[in-house]
Amino acid sequence: MKLSELTKGSSVMLAVIVAGYVSTSYVDQNFAEPKMSKWAEPASTSTCVGSDGSWKNWPWPNVPALSPKCK
């Protein structure tokens, strides 16, 4: 094994570790359940469609199909 091969392998390994860390922190920030205050009232857990067509109780960018209308 040459020194140049060791350097290339080490840099690839470091890049994979850094990419894994960055993607994990991105997923945690954008797709984790939002934290709520301990004094806040609990929100309804059912997803529904409002009268204006907007989604209620759904914090993620993708939306479930065939959700019921809000009451």
Side-chain angles (χ1 to χ4, degrees), residues 43-50 54-60 62-71:
S44 173
T45 58
S46 64
T47 302
C48 61
V49 180
S54 62
W55 293 92
K56 308 292 183 201
N57 303 323
W58 192 254
W60 298 287
N62 60 339
V63 293
L66 304 174
S67 289
K69 301 241 185 252
C70 294
K71 295 180 180 179

Side-chain angles (χ1 to χ4, degrees), residues 20-33 60:
Y21 176 77
V22 168
S23 66
T24 301
S25 62
Y26 173 80
V27 168
D28 285 345
Q29 289 176 357
N30 292 312
F31 299 106
E33 192 165 329
W60 298 287

